[in-house]
Amino acid sequence: MNPQLPPVAPEVAAAAVEALTSRLRKKLDAAIETYAAAPVTVEGAVRRVRCGEDAEVVLAPGPSGAVTDAEQAVCSCLLAPRCLHRAAVLGACPVADAEAAVAEEVESPERNTVDADVDVPGVDTVAAPQAGPTDAQLAAARSLWAAGAAVLAAGVPAAGAVAQAEVLRASHTARLAGLHRAEAAALRVVRGVRGARSRHDGHRLADLVAALRELLLTTSLLAAADPAPALVGTARRAYRPEGSLRVHGVCREPVISATGYGGVVTHLIADDGRWFTVADVKPGGVARARGAATATVALGSGSLDHAGLSRGGLLISGATLSSDGRLGAGKGVRATPLSGLSWTSGPLAALFARPLAEAVAARLGNVPVSDPEEAERTDGELIGCDLVIVGVVDHQLLAQELTPGRPETDGLLIRLLPSNGHPDLAHTANLRRLAARPGLRLRVVGRLDPDRAATLRPLAVGPVPDESTATLRLPTEWLGHADLGYDRIEGIHLPPADALSETPGFLSVPPDPVAEAPLWRLRRLVEVAVSGGRRAAAEPARDGDRAGAVVTLRRAGFRTAADLSHALASEADRRGRDVFGRTEEADPDGYARAWLAAAVYLAGTERALVRATWQPSDTI
C-alpha cells in the first residue's frame, strides 16, 4: 500500500477487480506492486499516478477523504474504466472503513471518519435490534465465510488481489445486510493480508490470525442462525445526547492507522470515573500524528489545544457521546476550559489506588473472542500504577509495582513496552531514557497488553508523590506528567544515579508461560496455516509428525491441544478422489473448521496464561 494514496471503499476496489478480464487479473498483483512504488502527484485533495506514457489514474476523494464512488477514480487509457491501471492503483490504496461511505451519505455536523481498528472517536453506534439473522444475513454470512475460508486455504503468498477482492465484495454485501461485526473483521483480514504480502513494518502475523479467527467464528455462528445480537454488531452513525459533563485530562496519544489516517487522541476521565476521548484524526499518517499534538480541540470556543486539554479539563453542556466514550463536537455542544487536576487529586488519584492485579482482572475477560465492540470500550480504559524501574534484562525493560505498606520486593514484576514503536514518535526513546535509571520511581498511565505476559504499554508518566529525590523532575509547564508519545524526557528530568537506591536486580527475565509453554507448537501450526496456506499446514501429517509436536503436547498435559493439532494437520492433508481415481479439490469448509477450532482453543488457553501472570506470587 502507498500511504500517499487515499483510502478506497471496499466495494469500489472489489468492483474494479471484477471488471477485469481473466488475462488482466493474472497481471494484477505485479501491477499493484509497481504502482504502489510509483510517485504520487498531490493537487489539493486530488492524487495523480502516472502509469506509463499513455495512462494516468486520477483519484478525487469525497468529503470524508476516501474514494467512495467509482467515478472518483478515473484512468486516461482507452480501456478505462475496465483497465489494469485503475484496478492496480485502487489495489495499492489503503482499504477505507465503512464509516467513510456512511459519513458522505448522512449529513451530520459531528461526524468524524476514522479507521475502526484504532482507538479514535468516530460516530456513535446504532443498534440493529432483531430476534435472529434474516435470510439476507444468512446468505451474506455464508458468502463471507466462503471468502475467508478461501484466503485461509491459499495462505498469504497466494491470497492476491483477486482473493482479496472476493473478501471485499462479500464484506460490502455483509454491510448491506447489516452484519457490521463480520464486515469489520473482513476489512481487518484484507489489511492484514496486504501488510503481510508487502512486508509492512507494522504488520504482525498474530493480528492477521486474530482477524481471520474473528471473521470465521462470527460468520460460522451467523450461518448457523445463532440469535446473539452481538454477532450482528452495530453501525456507527450518530452521537446520543449525554447532557452535562465535567472531564479532566489524563494524557494524549498519537494515532497512526493502517488506512493512512493519523492524529491524536486525548484521554479524559470524569468525576465519576468514566473514561472519555476526544480526537483529531484525518488522512496523513505519521506526519499528521505529530502535527496534531498541538491541534485545536474541536469542542467549545476553540481556544484549547490537545496539549492543553491533556493537562486541563472541560465543563461540557449539551454533550454528545458514543457508546465507547467518544465525545462529539456538534453545533449544540458547549465547552468551557477548566484548570487541570494533578494526578494526586480527585478521580485521577483514584486511578492509582487500585492494585494492578485487580485492575487487570477487570479488563482481561474470560472469553478472548468476545464482542469486539466491548473489547474496544474496555481498551479505552487506561490503567494507573506506581512503579520502580528495575532495569533492562534480556532486552526487556522490567519494573516492579510499588504498593503502600509492603516491601518493594513483594511488588508485581511487569514488562514495559512502547505503545507505538514508530521511530518518528517518542515512545521508544523515552523508555530507553527511563531504563537508564534503575531505582527510579514513577507514576505510570498505560494500556494493558492482553497478548503478553504481565506487560504494560505506558502512555504517560509522572513523579511519585512524597518522593523528592528518586522520582521524575518534570518542567513546570508540563503540569505534572509527560506524554510519552510527544514529550521527550531528557537527562535533566531524571534524578542523578547516586540519588537512587539499589534495586533487587534479576539475573534473568521471569518465565513467560505464553511463549515458553509447549503450547507454542500449536501456535506455530495455526500461524503457519495462515502464512503458508493449506499445504504448509499439512506438512506434519505428511512426515508423520517427525518434529514430535503432538507427542510433546500430550506429554505436557495439553491433550486437547494435541488432538486439535493432529486434526488440523490431517484435515489439511486430506484429499478425496473421484470415480476415476483423480484427486479432487480439497474441502475448504472442513479445513477452515479444523483451523478455527484450534485457533479458538489457542486464544482461550493463552488468555488464561496471561491472566495468571498478573497475579502476585502468593496468590497463585
Side-chain angles (χ1 to χ4, degrees):
M1 295 180 292
N2 189 329
Q4 290 186 293
L5 295 175
V8 173
E11 63 272 21
V12 175
V17 175
E18 292 174 353
L20 298 178
T21 64
S22 58
R23 181 180 63 86
L24 292 179
R25 290 187 185 187
K26 295 178 181 178
K27 301 179 179 180
L28 182 56
D29 289 330
I32 290 177
E33 185 175 351
T34 298
Y35 299 146
V40 179
T41 302
V42 180
E43 298 176 357
V46 176
R47 301 292 187 270
R48 298 177 181 272
V49 180
R50 173 63 61 178
C51 304
E53 296 181 358
D54 302 324
E56 182 183 59
V57 176
V58 179
L59 303 178
S64 67
V67 176
T68 58
D69 189 279
E71 296 181 357
Q72 295 173 347
V74 179
C75 181
S76 61
C77 78
L78 296 177
L79 294 179
R82 303 188 176 194
C83 63
L84 182 63
H85 311 114
R86 179 175 176 274
V89 170
L90 290 174
C93 295
V95 179
D97 187 72
E99 294 177 16
V102 172
E104 295 188 14
E105 294 168 2
V106 180
E107 199 63 37
S108 171
E110 55 194 21
R111 69 182 182 232
N112 186 8
T113 304
V114 296
D115 177 18
D117 293 342
V118 295
D119 302 313
V120 293
V123 279
D124 192 14
T125 53
V126 175
Q130 54 189 30
T134 64
D135 291 343
Q137 289 175 331
L138 290 174
R142 296 187 186 108
S143 176
L144 201 46
W145 161 275
V151 168
L152 174 65
V156 168
V162 175
Q164 295 168 29
E166 287 298 317
V167 178
L168 294 176
R169 180 195 58 76
S171 73
H172 179 59
T173 302
R175 176 161 71 92
L176 296 179
L179 299 181
H180 310 292
R181 176 174 171 177
E183 180 211 10
L187 298 186
R188 290 196 296 272
V189 167
V190 173
R191 292 171 186 143
V193 170
R194 289 186 176 185
R197 289 174 59 87
S198 63
R199 295 177 175 84
H200 191 273
D201 291 340
H203 166 71
R204 291 178 64 243
L205 181 57
D207 293 338
L208 176 55
V209 170
L212 197 52
R213 182 191 68 218
E214 162 71 11
L215 174 62
L216 294 178
L217 178 62
T218 302
T219 54
S220 65
L221 294 175
L222 286 169
D226 191 312
L231 294 173
V232 174
T234 52
R236 295 171 176 166
R237 293 178 188 266
Y239 288 85
R240 68 169 185 269
E242 182 63 21
S244 298
L245 286 174
R246 182 190 295 268
V247 294
H248 310 281
V250 180
C251 63
R252 56 191 165 144
E253 176 185 10
V255 172
I256 305 173
S257 80
T259 55
Y261 288 89
V264 63
V265 172
T266 297
H267 296 270
L268 311 165
I269 193 168
D271 290 333
D272 59 3
R274 288 187 297 163
W275 285 92
F276 302 94
T277 54
V278 173
D280 182 358
V281 179
K282 298 177 182 178
V286 67
R288 184 67 178 71
R290 293 197 310 268
T294 55
T296 302
V297 176
L299 278 173
S301 62
S303 61
L304 189 66
D305 61 18
H306 281 271
L309 180 57
S310 70
R311 295 174 168 92
L314 287 174
L315 179 61
I316 308 173
S317 62
T320 56
L321 186 68
S322 70
S323 60
D324 56 356
R326 303 172 178 182
L327 291 172
K331 293 182 178 179
V333 179
R334 299 290 182 269
T336 303
L338 300 175
S339 298
L341 292 179
S342 70
W343 283 7
T344 59
S345 61
L348 293 174
L351 180 64
F352 301 95
R354 194 177 190 183
L356 264 177
E358 293 183 12
V360 171
R363 288 162 175 77
L364 280 181
N366 293 323
V367 184
V369 288
S370 58
D371 183 1
E373 292 178 5
E374 177 67 16
E376 183 181 4
R377 183 189 65 79
T378 57
D379 189 49
E381 298 179 358
L382 306 181
I383 291 177
C385 58
D386 291 340
L387 302 174
V388 55
I389 298 296
V390 173
V392 178
V393 182
D394 293 346
H395 306 289
Q396 298 189 51
L397 176 57
L398 300 183
Q400 203 154 21
E401 182 183 14
L402 293 173
T403 305
R406 299 188 62 177
E408 290 182 11
T409 54
D410 291 347
L412 184 67
L413 190 68
I414 67 172
R415 300 163 176 82
L416 300 180
L417 290 179
S419 177
N420 191 311
H422 198 286
D424 289 343
L425 301 177
H427 294 286
T428 302
N430 282 331
L431 286 189
R432 286 175 180 167
R433 181 73 69 174
L434 297 175
R437 286 291 193 274
L440 173 68
R441 289 156 175 76
L442 69 162
R443 181 156 275 191
V444 176
V445 171
R447 180 175 289 111
L448 166 71
D449 189 330
D451 300 321
R452 296 177 181 267
T455 299
L456 192 67
R457 295 183 179 271
L459 297 180
V461 296
V464 173
D466 303 325
E467 286 279 357
S468 58
T469 59
T471 190
L472 294 170
R473 305 173 178 181
L474 300 179
T476 305
E477 59 269 22
W478 288 7
L479 298 181
H481 78 265
D483 294 325
L484 293 179
Y486 292 115
D487 302 322
R488 291 193 177 268
I489 297 175
E490 305 293 345
I492 195 174
H493 303 146
L494 303 174
D498 56 9
L500 304 177
S501 59
E502 293 186 3
T503 58
F506 294 88
L507 297 178
S508 62
V509 178
D512 183 348
V514 179
E516 299 176 12
L519 200 64
W520 67 266
R521 299 175 184 273
L522 177 59
R523 186 189 316 117
R524 183 171 65 178
L525 181 61
V526 168
E527 291 180 346
V528 163
V530 175
S531 62
R534 182 168 187 156
R535 295 185 62 180
E539 288 301 321
R542 293 174 181 172
D543 63 13
D545 193 32
R546 188 182 306 167
V550 174
V551 173
T552 302
L553 286 169
R554 200 176 300 280
R555 286 177 178 173
F558 291 100
R559 296 181 179 179
T560 302
D563 293 341
L564 291 171
S565 179
H566 174 72
L568 175 56
S570 299
E571 185 63 38
D573 192 46
R574 189 185 304 279
R575 293 292 188 275
R577 294 187 179 276
D578 60 17
V579 293
F580 299 104
R582 296 173 298 191
T583 302
E584 294 181 324
E585 279 295 320
D587 176 22
D589 290 341
Y591 171 65
R593 284 192 293 269
W595 181 87
L596 180 59
V600 170
Y601 165 85
L602 178 66
T605 306
E606 289 186 334
R607 176 59 57 87
L609 293 174
V610 170
R611 286 201 308 271
T613 64
W614 283 99
Q615 297 302 316
S617 57
D618 56 357
T619 63
I620 297 179

